């Protein structure tokens, strides 16, 4: 949905005071979050690894409505060593980085697919937390989306569910 359509779902100042970074904010759930946050008055930085044009379109759509969404390239496998994005200090981290989610074969566990998911949902998440530590307020709020497959197993998504579950364990530690 467009930012204009989504803006009716939140109060104009519902997220005022938030300086949010949405890792993986150029598409999917991250895009939706970024738009809702901006519509609610947050300053938002969205990141992209693939999807630069998508991120730019979101920022342009926000600017046309007088809202603040900035964009920055960010790879959870290798966060930048520079201060980019330079919009610190962040108050909120929304972690939506994800690879393409593919179904596996029921009754078979594919270690390579599991490793790919772990790279995003665990290792990439930890690297992102380490990266943002010096760029955020001390009481940074972190939002890490779960999956219904963590609580309700689906044999076609065992690798995905296992990796998301590991990510949730990391959440308990931070």
């Amino acid at each position: 949905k467009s930012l204009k359509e989504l803006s009716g779902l939140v109060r104009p100042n519902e997220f005022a005071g938030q300086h949010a970074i949405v890792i993986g904010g150029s598409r999917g759930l991250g895009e939706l979050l970024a738009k809702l946050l901006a519509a609610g008055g947050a300053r938002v930085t969205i990141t992209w690894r693939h999807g630069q044009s998508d991120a730019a379109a979101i920022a342009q759509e926000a600017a046309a409505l007088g809202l603040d969404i900035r964009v920055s390239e960010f790879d959870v496998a290798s966060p930048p060593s520079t201060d980019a994005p330079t919009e610190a200090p962040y108050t909120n981290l929304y972690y939506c980085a994800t690879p393409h989610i593919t179904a596996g074969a029921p009754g078979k566990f594919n270690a390579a697919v599991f490793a790919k998911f772990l790279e995003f949902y665990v290792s990439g998440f930890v690297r992102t937390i380490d990266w943002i530590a010096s760029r955020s307020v001390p009481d940074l709020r972190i939002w890490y989306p779960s999956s219904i497959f963590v609580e309700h197993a689906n044999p076609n998504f065992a690798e995905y569910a296992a990796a998301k579950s590991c990510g949730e364990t990391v959440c308990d530690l931070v």
Side-chain angles (χ1 to χ4, degrees):
K1 292 193 172 203
S2 73
L3 209 160
K4 188 172 187 174
E5 291 173 292
L6 292 170
S7 65
L9 300 176
V10 296
R11 292 183 308 276
N13 291 318
E14 189 165 343
F15 302 113
Q18 272 197 39
H19 188 185
I21 183 165
V22 182
I23 304 297
S26 67
R27 299 179 182 154
L29 180 60
E31 175 186 357
L32 176 65
L33 278 168
K35 288 177 176 180
L36 289 170
L37 290 165
R43 285 187 8 197
V44 181
T45 298
I46 60 173
T47 71
W48 54 272
R49 189 184 98 188
H50 300 293
Q52 179 178 12
S53 61
D54 296 324
I58 295 165
Q60 288 173 343
E61 180 183 11
L65 295 173
L67 301 173
D68 189 8
I69 296 181
R70 298 160 193 222
V71 301
S72 183
E73 182 174 14
F74 190 91
D75 184 351
V76 299
S78 181
S81 57
T82 65
D83 286 337
T86 58
E87 298 301 316
Y90 294 105
T91 61
N92 297 73
L93 165 66
Y94 296 85
Y95 190 81
C96 298
T98 191
H100 180 70
I101 300 169
T102 55
K108 293 185 89 176
F109 193 87
N110 185 319
V113 171
F114 180 58
K116 177 182 79 169
F117 288 139
L118 282 176
E119 178 58 30
F120 278 84
Y121 302 134
V122 178
S123 301
F125 180 50
V126 169
R127 281 190 290 271
T128 300
I129 291 169
D130 290 344
W131 174 85
I132 203 168
S134 66
R135 297 163 178 86
S136 64
V137 296
D139 59 343
L140 173 73
R141 295 181 184 263
I142 300 171
W143 189 81
Y144 181 95
S146 185
S147 168
I148 193 159
F149 295 140
V150 171
E151 292 183 24
H152 303 284
N154 180 320
N156 296 319
F157 294 94
E159 300 88 351
Y160 168 73
K164 287 296 274 190
S165 181
C166 291
E168 290 185 18
T169 299
V170 172
C171 289
D172 291 338
L173 302 172
V174 295

